[in-house]
Every structure is written in structure tokens, then in C-alpha cells.
Amino acid sequence: MSTNVGIAGLGVVAQGLLELVRSNADQLNVIAGKNLSVKRLASRRLRDGVDLSEIVFSTDLDDLLNDDELDLVIELIGGTDAAYDLIKATLERGRGVITANKAVLATHGNELLDIAREHDVPLAFEAAVAGGIPIIAALKTRFPANDINWLTGIINGTCIYILTAMAHDGVAFEDALQNAQELGYAEADPTFDVGGMDAAQKLAILVALAFDVPIEIDSVYCEGIQDITIEDIQHADELGYSIKHLAIGRQEEDLVEMRVHPALVPKDNLLAKVNDVENAVQLGTANTGVLRFTGPGAGGHATASSVIADLTNIASGLYRHPGIGGGSIRVRSIGDVSSAFFLNIAAADRPGVIASIGETLARHSISIASMIQKKEEVIRSVDNEIIPVVILTNTVVERELDQALEELESLADIAAPIKKIRVVDLT
Ligand SMILES: NC(=O)c1ccc[n+]([C@@H]2O[C@H](COP(=O)([O-])OP(=O)(O)OC[C@H]3O[C@@H](n4cnc5c(N)ncnc54)[C@H](OP(=O)(O)O)[C@@H]3O)[C@@H](O)[C@H]2O)c1
């Protein structure tokens, strides 16, 4: 018995996959209970130094569709156009697909999973979120008798690398981004990563699995890390927090929260200790407390090992369709979300200013948990010196906070728009 595999793409993950399949062939065949054989590979071009012996190579993706000997196709080209066409057509021909492509799943996942169910063929995607961490497998078990209440994650390598460099080496955002690009951790156009969209796509998939709802990328509230400064990181540090780019999903009754944004995380939380290009996901469960997963979120071998987990699962008949889909999703808007907030207020350093900030916040039932006045960090000096007043609020509904900030910004003693960063303590 054998499972014949076709691969689309010859980039980082495909090359890692070829290496791991070859170097672990005997073990994989035992686990799969049959002979796993890569028969064909289609990609735009050959890559120097890649051994394709015993594999038929072509530049036409349709060759994967037209090869009747293939049992399944592994899509590793990325993007949402050609990848979507290939996955759809493969499933419609009654063959399984493995993909590492969060973008195609976030935009077309509901439709593709319906087609897979209709044709009763697998569509597996362990590698699409958090690279080498088996988080999809964990969520797919659907935790019988153990509801997931919330999940939090650090799932974008570029953001975590940049924030780590800013915190540990004191480099500004632009310099940290340039380093990330030079090291190959960030794309030439990094907007998608630093703007939060990459994490938003992955979150939409995780939320769908965790709460058995459809994938709804358009409903994810999304902020990136472009406006985080070294001063923000230092002020947060003084208050006992690290700043991370978080993905958060939460279900309360029939309302689902989906948001990605920078956040202050208490320093003793696992997420505060995730650095460089590591990823992490925490699941808040009803009966097993908090489950924590950390590991490499990218890299050829790490990602390929997740692809191989899907491959052996399918070949050995263990694949099950995920509970994504059916029903509808009611999303809590960001204005209705409750958090504590970190505020940085550029205020005149003169008597009465702190009192009027406190009074304005109090009128909106917002209390101050901690405050530091950074008298040594003069922003500018005209009639009075303008200095940062850094405040940590108690938990407040965001809409209420925004009204208070609007009032504060209209005061003559407040010199600039107020910086707000949410505090997240789901632990
Ligand atoms: N890299 C990671 O660590 C990682 C981690 C998790 C998930 N993923 C996901 O895995 C997938 C592959 O990522 P990767 O890093 O391996 O990408 P990559 O290095 O850019 O490789 C993509 C490969 O696909 C080929 N290709 C692209 N479009 C094509 C088309 N229309 N027709 C034929 N061939 C095409 C490319 O050809 P050229 O050789 O001409 O460029 C290249 O060989 C993506 O969905 C990505 O999001 C990657």
C-alpha cells in the first residue's frame, strides 16, 4: 500500500519537507502504515541544489491535477489566487489537500472546507498557524467536556522579533524592522506583518476551531505595532509589564471577541517571556485551566514537520474534519470590550493638571491603578514644560474610555493625542 503525494512550490517549506521526508522515510512509513512517496512537484522554477531525483518536476500546477496516480497534494506556494484554484480543483477531483497557507484559509476556508466535506476528502492545515506548534491538532480534538473560554497568542514572528529587539537592545522600531528584513524574518513589504493582518488571519482560523464558528477574517479587529515606541516599552516595564503583539479570541455566551493589537502583558505571564521569533498560544479551558504551547512559529523544518504530521495522519486514516463552519458568528465590537488601559498623556507640568485628569477620568467611572509622572522626559518647553504622564487604569469598557480621552484631549493642558494601549491579563 502506498500514498502518492504531489507538492506545489519549491520554497522554504517545500525544501524543508523534501529533506525531512527523505531523512525520516522509514519511520514515516511505519507511522503511516504505508509507503509515503513524493511522486511529483510543480513550481514556477527549479531551485539550485535541491535534489529532485525520483520526483517528476514541472512548472505547470495543472500537472498535479492531471496526474491520476496522486492521492493528495501539498500546497506550499502561498497567496490566495493560484493556491485557491489548486486546492479547490484538487478537492473537487476527490483528492485530499494539505496546506500551510493561512491566507487562503482565512479568505476561502469556509468554502474549501465545505468542498472537502462534500467530497469526503481531507483538507489539513496544521502548518498554517504557529509553524511548528501542534495547535491545530490540539484545537481539533475539540476538548470533549472541556470548553475553551479564551485563547491568547503571539503568532507573528516579525512583530515579536521587532518588539524583542526594541525591548532588549533599545533599538527604534524602524531599525529593528530593518534588522528583521536583513535576517530574513520580515518580508520586503512588511506591512502585512507589522500592521497585524498576518496575525489576524491566523486568529480567525484559531477562533473558528476553538469555538466551532465560521472563519470570519473581516470581523477581526486589527492593529499593528508601528506606533509602539521605546518609551512605551520602558514605561510599561516600570509598571511591571512587557509589550507584545497579541491575538485574542474569547467567547462569552454567543458573543465572540477577535482582536489583534499591541498589549501590555504582566511580566510573570508566559507570553511576556516569549521573545525573538518564538510563537506561543495559551488556551483558557473550563476544566484543565490554562494550556500553554510555545515553539518555533516559522522555519523550513519546523513548518515541514507540521505538514508531515498532517501527512501521516491522513495516510493512516486518522484525519477528521474540523468543527469549523455551520452557524453564524456574533462578534463583540472593540468599543464593547473591557480592558485595563495604559495611557501616555503629554501634559503641562503645572499644579492642578493631574487633578483635572483624575476628575475627567472619574466622571467616566475610570479609576487610576498606577501613575508615573516622567518629569525628566520633557517633551517640549514653552510656557510650561510638557511631560509624559503615564497612567494604568482599572478595567473599563473601551467606548467609555474613548469618551474620557476625547474630553481630556480638549483640555488646554493636554498637548498631544493620548496614546492608549490595552492591558491583557488572561492568564
Ligand atoms: N516559511 C515559513 O516559515 C512558513 C511558516 C508557516 C507557514 N508558511 C506558509 O507556507 C507556504 C509556503 O511558504 P514558503 O516560505 O515556503 O514560501 P516561498 O519560500 O516563497 O516558496 C513559495 C514557492 O512557491 C512557488 N510559487 C509561488 N507561486 C507560484 C505559482 N503561482 N505557480 C507555481 N509556483 C509558485 C515559488 O516559486 P519561486 O521559486 O519562483 O519563488 C516558490 O518556489 C505559505 O503559504 C506560507 O505562508 C511558511
Side-chain angles (χ1 to χ4, degrees), residues 8-15 42-47 59-61 75-79 81-83 99-104 127-132 187 198 202 297-300 303:
L10 192 46
V12 175
V13 181
Q15 290 179 37
S43 192
R44 224 162 13 207
R45 62 189 160 109
L46 279 165
R47 294 281 189 107
T59 54
D60 187 352
L61 295 176
E75 182 276 305
L76 299 172
I77 59 177
D81 299 330
T99 179
N101 185 338
K102 73 261 158 182
V104 80
V129 181
E187 304 286 334
D198 174 82
K202 293 168 181 167
T303 309

Side-chain angles (χ1 to χ4, degrees), residues 72-145:
L72 60 93
V73 169
I74 303 179
E75 182 276 305
L76 299 172
I77 59 177
T80 53
D81 299 330
Y84 167 73
D85 293 340
L86 175 66
I87 295 172
K88 187 174 173 193
T90 305
L91 296 171
E92 284 173 342
R93 286 177 191 217
R95 286 188 212 135
V97 172
I98 297 170
T99 179
N101 185 338
K102 73 261 158 182
V104 80
L105 290 167
T107 43
H108 302 289
N110 297 320
E111 180 199 353
L112 292 173
L113 282 163
D114 279 347
I115 297 172
R117 284 188 203 102
E118 199 182 308
H119 291 267
D120 200 20
V121 287
L123 172 54
F125 48 91
E126 183 62 65
V129 181
I133 304 176
I135 189 64
I136 305 294
L139 289 171
K140 270 182 77 173
T141 65
R142 301 173 71 182
F143 293 88

Side-chain angles (χ1 to χ4, degrees), residues 137-392:
L139 289 171
K140 270 182 77 173
T141 65
R142 301 173 71 182
F143 293 88
N146 186 16
D147 283 348
I148 298 168
N149 300 321
W150 54 261
L151 62 91
T152 51
I154 293 178
I155 49 180
N156 179 270
T158 309
C159 287
I160 184 65
Y161 175 83
I162 290 173
L163 291 174
T164 304
M166 290 171 74
H168 293 180
D169 308 329
V171 286
F173 172 81
E174 290 75 16
D175 298 327
L177 172 58
Q178 197 181 330
N179 289 346
Q181 285 171 318
E182 281 164 12
L183 289 167
Y185 296 149
E187 304 286 334
D189 176 3
T191 337
F192 206 71
D193 286 314
V194 298
M197 269 312 290
D198 174 82
Q201 290 184 332
K202 293 168 181 167
L203 177 67
I205 296 166
L206 293 181
V207 162
L209 282 165
F211 306 134
D212 283 359
V213 294
I215 299 169
E216 269 202 24
I217 181 61
D218 293 341
S219 301
V220 180
Y221 175 81
C222 180
E223 265 179 43
I225 59 166
Q226 309 91 321
D227 296 332
I228 299 297
T229 64
I230 290 184
E231 289 74 26
D232 294 331
I233 290 172
Q234 287 166 345
H235 296 154
D237 183 67
E238 279 181 54
L239 292 163
Y241 293 84
S242 296
I243 297 185
K244 302 292 178 185
H245 188 252
L246 291 196
I248 299 157
R250 177 157 39 181
Q251 191 177 42
E252 271 177 347
E253 295 171 358
D254 65 338
L255 268 182
V256 174
E257 256 173 53
M258 290 195 283
R259 47 193 172 106
V260 302
H261 52 70
L264 268 71
V265 181
K267 276 192 208 167
D268 58 0
N269 188 280
L270 166 86
L271 296 180
K273 295 169 188 146
V274 172
N275 291 309
D276 299 320
V277 284
E278 229 185 344
N279 274 202
V281 179
Q282 299 190 138
L283 304 178
T285 68
N287 298 318
T288 44
V290 180
L291 302 174
R292 302 186 164 94
F293 303 77
T294 56
H301 281 176
T303 309
S305 89
S306 286
V307 172
I308 289 175
D310 281 340
L311 180 57
T312 52
N313 241 3
I314 292 171
S316 56
L318 291 175
Y319 172 86
R320 297 284 174 273
H321 290 298
I324 290 178
S328 58
I329 179 165
R330 284 215 312 133
V331 179
R332 176 175 280 144
S333 80
I334 193 72
D336 293 328
V337 170
S338 295
S339 323
F341 283 87
F342 164 102
L343 304 175
N344 186 342
I345 307 175
D349 184 19
R350 62 172 198 79
V353 172
I354 298 298
S356 63
I357 292 174
E359 279 161 22
T360 307
L361 292 175
R363 261 203 312 284
H364 291 270
S365 309
I366 300 165
S367 47
I368 295 175
S370 333
M371 182 175 70
I372 21 179
Q373 271 179 287
K374 306 298 292 182
K375 285 186 181 284
E376 67 285 7
E377 290 179 25
V378 176
I379 299 167
R380 67 170 188 266
S381 201
V382 189
D383 299 331
N384 286 109
E385 288 184 335
I386 302 294
I387 59 162
V389 175
V390 178
I391 287 175
L392 218 52

